[in-house]
Amino acid sequence: MIKHHSNHVQMKKILSFQIVILAIGLQVFSIACTQQEVVQGPGTVTKKVFGKLPDSSVADIYTLINHSGITLKVTNYGGRITSLIVPDKNGKSDDIVLGFDSLSGYLAANPYFGAIVGRYGNRIAKGKFEIDGNKYTLAQNNGVNQLHGGIKGFDKVIWKAEDFKSEKSVGVKLSYLSHDGEEGYPGNLSAVVSYTLTDDNQLIFDYSATSDKATPINLTQHSYFNLAGKGDNKSHDVMISASKYTVVDSTLIPTGELRDVKGTPFDFTVAKPIGKDLVATGGNPIGYDHNYVLDTKGIKDLAVRVVEPLSGRIMEVYTDQPGVQFYTGNFLDGTITGKYGIVYNQHSGFCFETQHFPDSPNQPTFPSTILKPGETYHTTTIYKFSAK
Ligand code: BGC
C-alpha cells in the first residue's frame, strides 16, 4: 500500500516535470514564431488574419516588402490596399494612402478606400443596358444610377488570395468568381487581379477575366493617395496626358461629348497644382470628378504624373486603358476618421482610376466594354513611385 502510494507520488512528479518541459517548449516555439515575424524584411510577403466578417468568414492581410524601402499592405476583403509606405526625398517614410488599420473601418460605410472596383467601375445610367437585344437591370446604388458595381461590388467580397515572389518582386494574386445575376450582371465571371510590387518601386495591377455570357466589365483600383501623408491634396502638382474629357450631366453620366480641356480648369496637359483651378471647376461638391480621355498609346506612355513638392514624392501612372477618372475626394466631408487618427476632410486625397469611359454600355460611340464568352479581358496599370 505504502509502496503503491510512493509510486503514485513518483508518477505525479514525472508528469508535472513533463508538463513543465512541454510549457517551456511551447514558450520557446512561440518566441521563435514572433521573432520570425519581427525579422521579416525586404523581399518578403507575410500573411496574417485581419478580422472576421459578420458572416464569420475571415479576411487576411498581406504585408509585401520590396528591396527599395516600400511596404504595401493588402487585404483580400475587397482587394483593398490598406497602407503604402514610401520614402520621401530624404529617406523619411510615410503612409501615402487613405484607409483604416482594422477591418471594422472597411466594413463600415466608406467611399471605396483602396478597393478593387467591379464588375463595372464608375457609373451606368439608370443601372440599365442591353446586349444583343437582352435587357438587364442592375442594382441602383447612386441615385438612379449604378456606381462601382452595385450594392455589394467587388470591393465588399472576400477574394481568394495567393502570395508570390520572384527575384525582384513580391505580390499577391486575388481571384473571385462573380455569379450569374450578381448585382444584376449576366454571366459567371471569373476575375483575377494581381498586385506586384517590384524592386524598382512599381506597383503593377494586372486584371484578367472570362465570362460564360456577354457582360460589361471595367475593373479598376480605387486607392486615395496623399503623397505628403497628411493634409489636403491642393499643392500636389498634376500632369494628365489628356487633351479631352468626357462631359457629364448633373448625375455624372456622360452626355457623349468629348470636350477639349484647352482653356478650361480641366487642362492638366501642363503640370499645375490641384488647387489652382479647383474652385473654377464649378462642381457641386467642388473638385475634379472627371474621366479624362488619354492621349497615350499604351502602357509605355506616361498617362499621369503627380509631384508633391515638400516630400519630393512622385507618382507616375502608366496604363493600357483609354481613360482615367481623376477624383479629388470631393465627397469626403470630415465624417470619417482613418489611420493615425487622421480626419478625412474634403480634398484629403486623390484617385486616378484607370478605366474605360463611364456608362460605355449605353454609349455606342465609346470603346466597347463587353466581354464575350471565349474572350479574355486583360488590362494592366502601373503606379510608379520615386522621390527627388
Ligand atoms: C467617383 C465619385 C465617387 C467616388 C467614391 C469615384 O470614382 O467618380 O463620384 O464619389 O468614386 O464613391
Side-chain angles (χ1 to χ4, degrees):
M1 184 72 187
I2 292 175
K3 191 150 189 252
H4 185 228
H5 178 75
S6 81
N7 266 352
H8 193 71
V9 169
Q10 198 74 17
M11 284 268 288
K12 261 189 158 174
K13 273 188 183 162
I14 290 171
L15 203 66
S16 52
F17 179 68
Q18 278 175 340
I19 289 172
V20 169
I21 294 290
L22 192 71
I24 292 172
L26 280 174
Q27 193 87 11
V28 169
F29 178 70
S30 80
I31 289 170
C33 289
T34 332
Q35 276 179 353
Q36 219 175 7
E37 253 175 49
V38 173
V39 294
Q40 63 169 285
T44 60
V45 185
T46 320
K47 173 184 166 183
K48 269 187 171 182
V49 169
F50 194 38
K52 255 193 189 173
L53 276 68
D55 69 359
S56 289
S57 54
V58 175
D60 293 318
I61 187 151
Y62 291 79
T63 304
L64 289 69
I65 308 177
N66 75 358
H67 284 98
S68 309
I70 295 193
T71 301
L72 166 73
K73 285 185 193 260
V74 177
T75 169
N76 63 336
Y77 175 70
R80 291 176 187 245
I81 292 179
T82 66
S83 159
L84 181 62
I85 296 178
V86 177
D88 71 3
K89 63 181 175 193
N90 301 313
K92 182 182 166 287
S93 288
D94 284 302
D95 193 343
I96 61 161
V97 291
L98 275 53
F100 307 100
D101 45 24
S102 69
L103 180 64
S104 55
Y106 292 98
L107 294 178
N110 71 88
Y112 304 89
F113 283 147
I116 295 175
V117 167
R119 191 179 292 198
Y120 195 96
N122 218 303
R123 292 173 174 82
I124 295 182
K126 303 193 169 63
K128 288 191 192 303
F129 60 90
E130 204 176 308
I131 304 176
D132 301 330
N134 298 314
K135 290 189 165 70
Y136 297 97
T137 301
L138 303 173
Q140 295 159 320
N141 62 327
N142 191 244
V144 293
N145 300 325
Q146 179 175 98
L147 173 67
H148 295 333
I151 296 161
K152 188 175 179 187
F154 290 6
D155 59 297
K156 293 182 190 72
V157 299
I158 291 279
W159 293 67
K160 187 171 150 266
E162 254 173 86
D163 57 70
F164 60 87
K165 260 189 347 186
S166 78
E167 206 192 320
K168 293 190 173 137
S169 66
V170 280
V172 180
K173 181 175 146 192
L174 302 160
S175 320
Y176 177 65
L177 177 67
S178 164
H179 288 284
D180 189 9
E182 204 172 293
E183 300 299 307
Y185 288 99
N188 293 295
L189 179 99
S190 162
V192 179
V193 180
S194 66
Y195 292 178
T196 306
L197 175 64
T198 68
D199 283 346
D200 61 355
N201 289 346
Q202 299 190 53
L203 176 53
I204 305 171
F205 301 106
D206 190 86
Y207 307 85
S208 59
T210 52
S211 173
D212 59 8
K213 280 186 192 162
T215 177
I217 181 165
N218 192 26
L219 302 180
T220 192
Q221 226 291 333
H222 209 298
S223 286
Y224 290 68
F225 294 90
N226 182 317
L227 301 186
K230 57 179 182 305
D232 68 39
N233 60 23
K234 293 180 191 159
S235 64
H236 288 69
D237 256 307
V238 167
M239 186 290 295
I240 308 174
S241 180
S243 38
K244 291 184 191 307
Y245 70 103
T246 48
V247 178
V248 286
D249 67 16
S250 61
T251 69
L252 300 181
I253 295 293
T255 59
E257 184 194 352
L258 308 185
R259 190 176 290 170
D260 281 343
V261 294
K262 215 178 158 74
T264 76
F266 302 100
D267 191 354
F268 282 93
T269 52
V270 175
K272 68 177 178 191
I274 292 179
K276 185 161 181 275
D277 297 323
L278 197 69
V279 174
T281 57
N284 178 25
I286 287 294
Y288 296 92
D289 193 358
H290 293 81
N291 171 63
Y292 281 79
V293 179
L294 289 170
D295 294 333
T296 51
K297 296 279 169 288
I299 191 91
K300 295 244 169 339
D301 298 344
L302 178 67
V304 175
R305 189 164 200 261
V306 187
V307 180
E308 199 286 305
L310 281 180
S311 65
R313 287 196 187 91
I314 301 168
M315 171 177 161
E316 292 174 333
V317 182
Y318 298 85
T319 185
D320 56 14
Q321 292 296 278
V324 64
Q325 185 82 9
F326 178 36
Y327 174 55
T328 47
N330 315 339
F331 290 99
L332 297 174
D333 59 3
T335 52
I336 296 179
T337 301
K339 295 173 280 185
Y340 319 108
I342 297 178
V343 174
Y344 295 139
N345 291 312
Q346 194 181 37
H347 309 137
S348 290
F350 59 85
C351 305
F352 281 104
E353 303 152 57
T354 56
Q355 62 182 7
H356 268 254
F357 305 165
D359 196 34
S360 293
N362 295 308
Q363 303 269 351
T365 60
F366 289 177
S368 171
T369 50
I370 306 302
L371 170 67
K372 298 191 177 129
E375 294 175 349
T376 300
Y377 167 89
H378 184 221
T379 94
T380 308
T381 289
I382 302 173
Y383 292 158
K384 185 164 193 216
F385 301 95
S386 56
K388 69 171 181 231

